[in-house]
Amino acid sequence: MSENPQVKTILEHIETRERELADQAGQFRSRIEELTQQLGEIDAESENLRITRKTLLTLPVPSPATGPDRPGIPDHPAYQQILTALADAGRPMRARDLCQALDLPILPKNTEGIRSKLKRLVSRGILTEPEPGLFARPGS
């Protein structure tokens, strides 16, 4: 190095500044790598959404004849059991008959519970009540 103190000071300043700039450049490169990765993830998600939109637009619209026409059956499994028992019997049934078909003890709480469920199915149009207390599947 030069023996001139002013030149020495300037050279030290240049070296310090070069180190600072190298550190900044390294930080920027790291940030660019991070942003490039994030951009790749966003591009991939955008492509997935584009494909999903394209797929949905190519799906055929179901005709009303093929769509489910009956109202939704309540989620509780007892409703499905009641409908299965009525289908198996093939005839209208009373709440007491359904208790027997479902192997429930003939107790007021059971018959009233079944009757309540039957009434709910009638109110939703899933069952009919051709006469008071007699429940059937439509068309049977």
Side-chain angles (χ1 to χ4, degrees), residues 57-106:
L57 290 174
T58 61
L59 291 176
V61 176
S63 64
T66 61
D69 204 16
R70 72 177 199 194
I73 298 170
D75 288 336
H76 196 277
Y79 291 96
Q80 191 58 50
Q81 292 169 347
I82 289 169
L83 293 172
T84 302
L86 277 167
D88 289 347
R91 61 178 174 78
M93 297 178 79
R94 299 191 180 281
R96 179 182 177 95
D97 300 330
L98 278 162
C99 283
Q100 288 175 332
L102 298 173
D103 293 326
L104 294 173
I106 308 299

Side-chain angles (χ1 to χ4, degrees), residues 8-77:
K8 189 176 179 179
T9 303
I10 292 173
L11 290 175
E12 286 174 356
H13 177 71
I14 289 172
E15 286 178 28
T16 302
R17 185 66 182 143
E18 283 177 330
R19 279 193 302 275
E20 290 172 353
L21 291 173
D23 287 346
Q24 280 183 336
Q27 291 173 0
F28 287 146
R29 284 185 185 91
S30 294
R31 185 71 179 134
I32 288 171
E33 287 175 16
E34 184 181 320
L35 290 172
T36 301
Q37 179 184 358
Q38 290 174 352
L39 181 60
E41 291 169 0
I42 288 172
D43 286 342
E45 186 175 350
S46 293
E47 179 65 11
N48 288 340
L49 291 171
R50 187 191 66 74
I51 291 169
T52 301
R53 176 186 295 111
K54 183 178 178 181
T55 302
L56 287 174
L57 290 174
T58 61
L59 291 176
V61 176
S63 64
T66 61
D69 204 16
R70 72 177 199 194
I73 298 170
D75 288 336
H76 196 277

Side-chain angles (χ1 to χ4, degrees), residues 70-71 83 86 121-122 124-130 135-140:
R70 72 177 199 194
L83 293 172
L86 277 167
L121 292 171
V122 168
R124 292 184 178 204
I126 298 169
L127 294 180
T128 61
E129 191 174 6
F135 300 91
R137 297 180 70 106
S140 51

